[in-house]
Amino acid sequence: GGRVSLKSVLRLSIPVTLSAALLPLSSLFDSVIIVRLLKRYTAEAVTLYGLFSGGAVTIINLPVSVCYGIAAASVPAVSAASAVPAGDVQGEAEKSRKNARRRMLYALLVTLVVSVPCALGLFFFAGPAVRIIFRALKPSEAETLVKLVRLFSVSAVTLSCTQTLSACLTGIGKPTFAAVSMAVAVAVKTILNFALVSSPKISVYGAAIAVTVIGAMLWCKCYSAVMTSDKFLWLFARVIPKLAL
């Protein structure tokens, strides 16, 4: 009765592995594509990409890494809440699904509580943060990095929430949805990089815009799979009953 089949293990592990592998592969692809696009109109292509990947991405990943603990804790919590014993009655099954939804929403809310202040801090205090962390930068490079961090700041929220929602999807047995969404997002990001970074007026800022767009897209996609409006209203009906009327 407590056995876990190899098929069920592979059904969960393969999408999770592919989803995790897409990010480093995407970064590797970006390091080639973005630099080549920048070289078409500037001799500072490598420097600009270094400011983007080694500077802005590093800073934005700090709050995302902090929120990783929430995502990691969400998988067993949501999985346990959604588990239905064999032969269980329909009422208990529905109760388990509601408990899972509640835990997913709470995980998302905690992620927002952590990531939103971080994003606001990065936007308003990007200048001091860059001067403290990257003291060796030239004034022009520091100015570029500050602009990148401000453009990127909203990604601290969207990427953190996507991370948590993807973990929730894995917890309820839908890792394939998260993996497919990630693959689509990577393809969209590549298209946006070609369209935006190719323009000298936008330059390396296009790479930050592309990540911000796909971060928002992933968040909306994963959220729609985890929490529809009726589920959201049900969860908050007891707290704010007027919303459910």
Side-chain angles (χ1 to χ4, degrees):
R3 293 180 180 179
V4 179
S5 66
L6 177 61
K7 183 179 179 180
S8 63
V9 172
L10 292 176
R11 184 173 61 85
L12 290 174
S13 61
I14 291 177
V16 171
T17 302
L18 291 175
S19 181
L22 280 171
L23 289 178
L25 288 175
S26 174
S27 298
L28 178 62
F29 189 66
D30 286 347
S31 66
V32 177
I33 296 300
I34 294 176
V35 171
R36 288 187 177 181
L37 291 173
L38 291 171
K39 281 184 176 180
R40 294 178 178 178
Y41 52 82
T42 179
E44 302 293 328
V46 176
T47 300
L48 289 173
Y49 182 75
L51 292 172
F52 167 73
S53 62
V57 173
T58 300
I59 293 175
I60 295 300
N61 277 340
L62 291 175
V64 177
S65 299
V66 171
C67 292
Y68 177 78
I70 302 171
S74 299
V75 177
V78 172
S79 181
S82 61
V84 180
D88 204 355
V89 296
Q90 180 63 28
E92 290 299 318
E94 181 62 24
K95 183 178 179 181
S96 295
R97 284 192 289 270
K98 289 177 179 178
N99 286 335
R101 293 168 191 165
R102 184 183 291 109
R103 292 192 181 187
M104 287 187 287
L105 180 61
Y106 289 164
L108 180 59
L109 291 176
V110 173
T111 302
L112 287 169
V113 168
V114 174
S115 61
V116 170
C118 290
L120 292 173
L122 289 173
F123 182 84
F124 290 107
F125 301 103
V130 168
R131 287 194 294 270
I132 292 171
I133 301 173
F134 302 98
R135 296 182 179 180
L137 291 179
K138 299 175 183 177
S140 59
E141 294 173 347
E143 182 182 356
T144 299
L145 182 53
V146 168
K147 291 179 181 179
L148 282 169
V149 171
R150 285 176 175 163
L151 270 175
F152 230 166
S153 59
V154 68
S155 295
V157 177
T158 57
L159 294 178
S160 295
C161 289
T162 298
Q163 186 174 244
T164 298
L165 291 171
S166 296
C168 290
L169 287 169
T170 301
I172 60 176
K174 295 182 179 180
T176 303
F177 184 90
V180 172
S181 298
M182 181 66 71
V184 172
V186 169
V188 171
K189 185 179 74 167
T190 301
I191 295 171
L192 288 174
N193 280 333
F194 274 104
L196 298 175
V197 180
S198 297
S199 171
K201 293 182 179 179
I202 302 176
S203 188
V204 73
Y205 303 114
I209 295 171
V211 175
T212 301
V213 170
I214 65 112
M217 186 182 78
L218 278 172
W219 182 10
C220 294
K221 195 72 175 175
C222 292
Y223 181 85
S224 65
V226 169
M227 197 71 59
T228 57
S229 59
D230 60 317
K231 296 175 185 176
F232 186 89
L233 291 176
W234 179 87
L235 287 168
F236 276 97
R238 294 180 182 179
V239 180
I240 313 175
K242 290 183 180 180
L243 286 176
L245 297 179

